[in-house]
Amino acid sequence: MENLPKKVRSKKLNTRVDLTAMVSVSFLLIIFFMVTIELAKPKAIDLNLPSHNDEGCFLGCILNDESRVLTILLDDNNKIITYTGLLFAPIDAPREVQYGKSGIRKILLERNKKVLEYSAQRGRSGRGTTVIIKPSKNSNYGNLVDILDEMKISGINYYSVIDYYTPEESKLLASN
């Protein structure tokens, strides 16, 4: 019994895995995805417009606040047509204007100033002009970006981009 071979036991190594780097990377990924999800949420304002019938007249509209609404129609060849109020009873008749400081920006600043003064006279703190931007199918993306830049420069906080044209607005674009 003395010459029996001894069992060879292997040494057990310490199998310790350092997960510090993995935890750091996972936290960075979690933060990255949380930020991208937050930035991907659409941001829009609510625009409440009265309903309209087939003739284009607005139902239930007493016409007491139409002076606050400025509509901008965008068409091809850098054409801009603006009017204030409702098209069938405009406060400012439709007219063609140009881009830039002496064109659309001047109109936006003047209209916003008038609306704010009118609100102050009535004892209400007004929120300024509401602009409805209507790009036609013929207008290009650059024109829309230019108008949105003009909204920012002019300090217009309430605006909406709508792709719906009334028949009267379509006729107005075709005639100019």
Side-chain angles (χ1 to χ4, degrees), residues 80-99:
I80 305 173
I81 297 175
T82 65
Y83 64 91
T84 303
L86 304 173
L87 189 57
F88 62 88
I91 295 171
D92 290 337
R95 62 181 167 171
E96 189 171 341
V97 296
Q98 301 297 319
Y99 288 94

Side-chain angles (χ1 to χ4, degrees), residues 44-99:
I45 61 169
D46 292 331
L47 179 65
N48 297 321
L49 293 175
S51 61
H52 64 283
N53 62 9
D54 293 331
E55 292 89 34
C57 297
F58 290 90
L59 300 174
C61 186
I62 303 173
L63 302 178
N64 61 353
D65 226 10
E66 78 275 9
S67 64
R68 292 183 57 236
V69 179
L70 174 71
T71 304
I72 299 175
L73 307 174
L74 302 176
D75 204 13
D76 61 346
N77 297 327
N78 298 330
K79 186 192 304 185
I80 305 173
I81 297 175
T82 65
Y83 64 91
T84 303
L86 304 173
L87 189 57
F88 62 88
I91 295 171
D92 290 337
R95 62 181 167 171
E96 189 171 341
V97 296
Q98 301 297 319
Y99 288 94

